[in-house]
Amino acid sequence: MTNFEVWAPGKPVRLLVGGQEREMESVEDGWWRLEVPEAGAGSDYAFRLPDEDSPLPDPRSAWQPNGVHGPSRVYDHDAFTWTDQGWSGRQLPGSVLYELHIGTFTADGTFDAAIEKLDHLVDLGVDLVELLPVNAFNGTYNWGYDGVCWFAPHEAYGGPDGLKRFVDAAHARGLGVVLDVVYNHFGPSGAYAPMFAPYLSAGSNAWGSSINLDGPESGEVRRYIVDSVLMWLRDYHVDGLRLDAVHALHDEGAVHLLEQMAVEVETLSTRLRRPLTLIAESDLNDAKLITPREGGGYGLHAQWDDDVHHALHALLTGERQGYYGDFGSLDCLRTVLEGAFFHAGTWSSFRGRRHGRPVDRHRTPGHRFVAFLQNHDQIGNRAVGDRLTATLSPGMLKVGATLLLTSPFTPMLFMGEEWAASSPWQFFTSHPEPDLAAAVQNGRRREFARHGWAEADVPDPQDPATFERSKLDWSELGKAEHAEILDLYKRLIRLRRATPGLTDPWLHEVEVWHGDQHVVIRRGPQVVAANLAQSPQTISVRALPRSVLLATSPGVVVERDRLVLPPETAAVVSVR
């Protein structure tokens, strides 16, 4: 027996299941329900609305085996056999994140294929695997940010059971799993939920119509989102969620949706007796998101910190276009390493206004900020999807890795970064509708033409070759130049974990000074020094070194309170 239900205020709904069309019963608050004794797990079903010729999938569908335009299928969460009963979770503080896209992480692009690479991640030393969005989207492959079914894992990846197998296998290896989820908009094709009820508001954001979080009948819309949040954490045993672009969640209610999420996730975490993490992506530079509720904040656990990325990227590459314009100096690097944000109530030339709010360095620990050298946005939203590997020398790649992995923040790596993968990661889609495909192709090229790129140089998102180019080439691990970078990442992660000064999260304990093309960071009894120049430099560490814990190239010399560093070299030393 299955109890079918759907929210469709003021719209009589008919259920199609088992080859029959049946009237559903109206219950309270715009819900329609019907028990069907002969339906069970594996039964396909759909709903029919008045004045709609075609049957529609369930807005809360747990399984879309024939894509987002097909019927839904009843899925029994209790039928899966878990083996992670002893899993007690993985907290974010002290962890290293690893971001990957299921479709391009392996040649096969499935959850099961990704399981085969989990031992690599264990050997690397990461703690939490962050998956780009896996909920169902239009087409076969996509970044995932055009999802339309917020309760159903994408079938081409392996569907619901495939995701559960991946999480179960990760837990068996001591790895936690974080899912990237998108609740600020629906994708452009297959978004049938708004046909049932007022899921959308009159406003819009960069990706389309905004979600109705504070208008009439918004209570059920908020419930829809929070139930999705709880479902991933409870039914799929996921350890955390990365909330995409929360600045696009327009909510003027007394209790912001993000705070509501934090409250209900805390309740679930207490019941499950394992840590559950909420990480926000926000461009607001406002620590209110990660300030505990008792301190007047929303109570999320962490947020992405683009300012750290911009500071490192602009410094290492010399790029100053677009939003990199204010970044790139050693003063800028000092500001973000000591205070998390560069724009903290200061002028942003990119925005043409003051931006951000200072972080309380004594009360806000650095582990609440997720920092990175590369991620899906900062690679994939470049015209040709080029990684830092295409720009930086091996020496500067190593310096960048050292500055990231010895920082006071929670570091995150993007798949393949750890071996300086040469494959690009480009913007790809597989929309089957010709008009939508053409709109995406032309829009992408026009966007980059405004920034000086020739349209012919911008890869066609709809070309299958763009997707194939973006897949990792795992054979590179057998090449000396890639193995050398991988070895450094492993050593840096081990050193970070073994050295108390490098995991100390308190920003007021971080001291940074710099000179001509060099920077020094004091982390308690450890000092990190980096020579960015193409010639050797003698650098004062303002203390007497005890030993060199790590160096990115040979030839580091200790001279009393100074280090002589070879060109493009970083070193970590313990000091008296």
Side-chain angles (χ1 to χ4, degrees), residues 308-375:
V308 176
H309 168 269
H310 298 349
L312 287 169
H313 182 95
L315 175 66
L316 296 171
T317 67
E319 293 181 11
R320 297 293 187 274
Q321 73 276 16
Y323 48 67
Y324 294 134
D326 293 335
F327 296 85
S329 69
L330 287 167
D331 268 337
C332 170
L333 181 64
R334 176 183 59 79
T335 298
V336 297
L337 290 177
E338 292 183 346
F341 295 148
F342 180 66
H343 289 306
T346 55
W347 178 259
S348 165
S349 63
F350 179 70
R351 297 173 178 84
R353 59 172 173 80
R354 289 186 176 274
H355 181 65
R357 176 185 292 182
V359 172
D360 187 333
R361 299 173 63 229
H362 290 267
R363 297 187 179 184
T364 307
H367 60 64
R368 292 186 188 162
F369 301 93
V370 175
F372 33 83
L373 273 174
Q374 304 180 75
N375 66 32

Side-chain angles (χ1 to χ4, degrees), residues 138-139 141-143 145-146 185 187-189 206-207 380-381 383 426-450 455 458-463 466:
N138 187 44
Y141 50 84
N142 189 301
W143 278 18
Y145 294 90
D146 284 339
H185 75 288
S189 181
W207 304 282
N381 281 326
Q426 299 175 334
F427 182 70
F428 46 82
T429 55
S430 59
H431 296 299
E433 303 92 337
D435 289 347
L436 179 56
V440 171
Q441 292 167 337
N442 295 331
R444 189 76 175 175
R445 286 170 173 166
R446 284 195 301 267
E447 176 186 353
F448 284 104
R450 290 195 296 268
E455 289 194 16
V458 180
D460 178 358
Q462 284 285 125
D463 185 347
T466 304

Side-chain angles (χ1 to χ4, degrees), residues 10-90:
K11 298 178 180 180
V13 184
R14 298 177 67 83
L15 171 69
L16 286 74
V17 64
Q20 299 183 42
E21 188 167 319
R22 314 165 194 237
E23 295 279 356
M24 298 190 76
E25 300 169 359
S26 176
V27 290
E28 71 282 353
D29 301 325
W31 282 87
W32 300 81
R33 293 194 177 97
L34 185 66
E35 282 190 357
V36 180
E38 64 271 27
S43 296
D44 286 351
Y45 69 100
F47 299 116
R48 191 183 297 281
L49 295 176
D51 303 322
E52 293 293 336
D53 294 333
S54 301
L56 305 176
D58 185 353
R60 287 176 174 251
S61 172
W63 193 4
Q64 288 296 122
N66 298 301
V68 299
H69 301 291
S72 301
R73 182 169 292 174
V74 177
Y75 180 76
D76 181 6
H77 278 290
D78 294 330
F80 184 84
T81 302
W82 290 93
T83 66
D84 68 347
Q85 290 79 7
W87 177 251
S88 58
R90 181 74 68 217

Side-chain angles (χ1 to χ4, degrees), residues 123 127 166 188 449:
D123 191 44
D127 305 283
F166 178 86

Side-chain angles (χ1 to χ4, degrees), residues 39 87 91 94 121 155 161 172 190 196 224 240 259 321 345 373 386 407 421 438 457-458 463 468 475 515 564:
W87 177 251
Q91 69 169 18
L121 301 184
E155 186 67 14
D161 279 1
F196 287 82
Y224 178 74
E259 184 179 355
Q321 73 276 16
L373 273 174
D386 51 318
S407 75
D457 293 338
V458 180
D463 185 347
E468 293 297 327
S475 71
V564 181

